Amino acid sequence: MRVSDFSFDLPEELIARYPKAERTGSRLMTLNGNSGDITDGRFIDIVEQLNAGDLLVFNNTRVIPARLFGQKSSGGKVEVLIERIVDQHTALAHIRASKSPKVGNEILLGAIEGADHSDSLIKATMMARHGALFELKFSEEQSVLSVLENIGHMPLPPYIDRPDEDSDKERYQTVYNEKPGAVAAPTAGLHFDEALLAQIKAKGVELAFVTLHVGAGTFQPVKVDEIADHVMHAEYVEVSDEVVQQISATKARGGRVIGVGTTSMRSLESAAKVSAEKGTELQAFYGDTDIFITPGYNFRVLDALVTNFHLSESTLLMLVSAFAGYENIMKAYQHAITEQYRFFSYGDAMFLTKQDLLNK
């Protein structure tokens, strides 16, 4: 298939630049992957889509304030987006500047327009370049996380074309976030609050948590014509033995495994893919994944998916098309535009059931 097969025109006014006042205040479109039937509702209706004995799998990553502003020692402005924390004092980052820094160059972070007090700024040294990423070393007195917490900004996606605000520090996080490391939120989880989670558990639905530290690559456009030629970025994943046991028990009792967000899906399917390559049943998985899910993919774990609306021609649109059916998804997106659903990170959600390829 071609990238252009996943193109749609979205009116600017349907891009959600701010979240709803209440996390559960968004809308929910339900799409049946086999029949193609579409139902419009509210996000709190998700409780009705769940059955006792089902397992909901969430991504418990925490978004770090990964965007930093500063200047080169020569005075030129610099914008840094941390992609991955390598160790306590080292990070890989994207750097936007008039000229890329060279090995050994210092960057002064926390720079204020017109400030000349360089001794009050935080220094990072460019140690090496790894493709599009720059390796930055911070001083022994400053851990990467402490620098980010002190002067970092929340890394809102490029389509939210406004500066980050104090409210984003809490709203661009899930309520169950636990492990710092993501530079983008697992946005399907933004719709859940503590009260809704309690209601879901009271219905007899079990909860499980994986970790995938979402990277900035999730927003990178696909720059090839044929999707088979695209090379995915890598992200760090943790799927524990406990989660594997929960999945096994769910399948055994006839329940469904439901992913909350494409990152949860990619985590579980990565673990299943590695296990299958070893000739084993599903096993725990810790490591990087660059899994690229496109139409025709054989899903090994998930039966249903909660997800937001994704960018035109994006790998995530290809992923949900693989799950619920290409024709179904493209039809559903046109329905969402007609019905004026809100798109992307702070937008509305979908509940998708898997298309059975054998009965397609």
Side-chain angles (χ1 to χ4, degrees), residues 1-3 222 224-230:
M1 299 183 73
R2 300 181 68 83
V3 174
V222 179
V224 295
D225 293 327
E226 299 287 340
I227 64 174
D229 296 332
H230 179 64

Side-chain angles (χ1 to χ4, degrees), residues 49-61:
Q49 299 295 331
L50 307 175
N51 304 319
D54 286 344
L55 176 68
L56 266 182
V57 183
F58 298 85
N59 179 8
N60 65 2
T61 189

Side-chain angles (χ1 to χ4, degrees), residues 314-327:
S314 65
T315 60
L316 298 183
L317 183 56
M318 296 168 194
L319 180 152
V320 295
S321 296
F323 189 73
Y326 170 75
E327 294 83 3

Side-chain angles (χ1 to χ4, degrees), residues 83-155:
E83 171 75 18
R84 181 178 296 204
I85 297 174
V86 178
D87 59 39
Q88 192 173 4
H89 303 287
T90 310
L92 297 177
H94 302 272
I95 294 180
R96 182 184 297 176
S98 57
K99 289 185 179 179
S100 298
K102 294 181 170 58
V103 173
N105 284 175
E106 278 191 343
I107 297 173
L108 307 176
L109 298 168
I112 301 171
E113 192 78 28
D116 55 5
H117 304 293
S118 59
D119 57 339
S120 66
L121 303 178
I122 293 171
K123 297 178 182 179
T125 303
M126 208 285 268
M127 306 298 293
R129 186 162 184 177
H130 308 278
L133 296 175
F134 296 81
E135 181 180 329
L136 297 180
K137 183 81 171 181
F138 293 81
S139 70
E140 292 300 319
E141 294 77 32
Q142 297 277 3
S143 71
V144 179
L145 277 176
S146 68
V147 169
L148 297 181
E149 290 300 329
N150 287 332
I151 63 171
H153 293 258
M154 289 302 282

Side-chain angles (χ1 to χ4, degrees), residues 15-81:
I15 299 175
R17 290 173 171 82
Y18 287 90
K20 289 282 192 177
E22 301 294 331
R23 287 183 180 270
T24 58
S26 296
R27 297 165 70 187
L28 180 71
M29 178 195 295
T30 301
L31 172 62
N32 185 305
N34 285 323
S35 68
D37 291 344
I38 294 171
T39 304
D40 299 310
R42 302 170 299 164
F43 191 79
I44 56 175
D45 297 335
I46 195 169
V47 178
E48 299 169 17
Q49 299 295 331
L50 307 175
N51 304 319
D54 286 344
L55 176 68
L56 266 182
V57 183
F58 298 85
N59 179 8
N60 65 2
T61 189
R62 176 173 176 80
V63 182
I64 55 177
R67 181 166 281 122
L68 299 163
F69 298 96
Q71 62 190 42
K72 291 183 286 186
S73 54
S74 60
K77 291 183 180 179
V78 173
E79 180 180 333
V80 174
L81 179 63

